[in-house]
Amino acid sequence: MKRHRFFIDPRAIQGRFAYIEDASVCGQISKVLRLRAGDEVILLDGLGFEYAARLVEVNARKAQAEILHRQMNKNEAELKITLYQALVKKDKFEWVLQKCTEVGVTHFVAVQAARSEKTGLNEERAKKVLKEAAEQSERAIIPELSEIKTFESALRKAVTPDTPTMILDASGESIVSSKMARTRYTLNVFVGPEGGWDEAELEAVRGLMREGYPLEIVNLGPRVLRAETAGLVAAGIVLNR
């Protein structure tokens, strides 16, 4: 039988027991899933380890579990992708967070682009989506979510001499022939809003390319993808090479 998985504060693990005092986790265990003492679960410390555990005590405010076994989670990809996603409507952005977490993205940065439809983000709700998607997909970590950045500040943060960066745009070369897509350790991927990047944003990218920074403008093929789909497709391609 598949055991439910829960991210907890690593400080809750104390020797042979875990003492959980996160009300949201305890409520999920006791009220939503109706687990009881004796049921087995998987606890994740967010640092890479997972713990097979048996519930000893559980209520809506706290839970105690006996640790049965500890092991390193092996589901994290060697390549760490940071997705710079231009803001789109709420439900679409949450879909991006959910699906790209399932695929393996490790860090998200919301970008306020010139053509973005939206200007804000419910960070509390977004982080809940990330946590639930990481649990469902049996990840070892919860991806990070950075504060909203303008395109200019996001580009300054991302572009360094050591970190390859891909800007998705129809004007670029195919991702199939991209050198950046073959990187092994870290990669930044920029996805524009509906309507794409404007010319000033693309010119800023081209200027950095002329200066020799490891940047490429790439496309995902002849079909036009939605803003919320492009990052998922790009991540899937590079993570499975």
Side-chain angles (χ1 to χ4, degrees), residues 12 15 39 117 130 150 153 155 163 216 230 232:
D39 290 334
E117 303 171 309
L130 291 172
T150 64
S153 63
L155 200 60
T163 305
E216 284 185 347
L232 177 65

Side-chain angles (χ1 to χ4, degrees), residues 115-132:
R115 293 173 177 162
S116 288
E117 303 171 309
K118 199 172 183 298
T119 58
L121 177 65
N122 184 333
E123 290 191 21
E124 182 178 352
R125 168 65 186 167
K127 289 179 179 178
K128 181 181 179 184
V129 170
L130 291 172
K131 179 175 179 289
E132 291 176 350

Side-chain angles (χ1 to χ4, degrees), residues 30-81:
S30 63
K31 292 184 176 180
V32 178
L33 298 172
R34 299 186 180 278
L35 300 179
R36 297 290 182 263
D39 290 334
E40 293 188 7
V41 297
I42 300 293
L43 304 176
L44 303 121
D45 63 9
L47 303 174
F49 286 99
E50 58 182 52
Y51 303 77
R54 181 182 295 114
L55 294 171
V56 176
E57 175 188 356
V58 58
N59 58 50
R61 297 184 306 277
K62 64 181 181 179
Q64 180 180 342
E66 180 185 7
I67 304 300
L68 305 175
H69 177 68
R70 183 185 85 153
Q71 68 179 22
M72 178 67 76
N73 179 291
K74 298 179 180 179
N75 294 339
E76 292 299 320
E78 183 179 32
L79 175 61
K80 309 305 178 188
I81 295 179

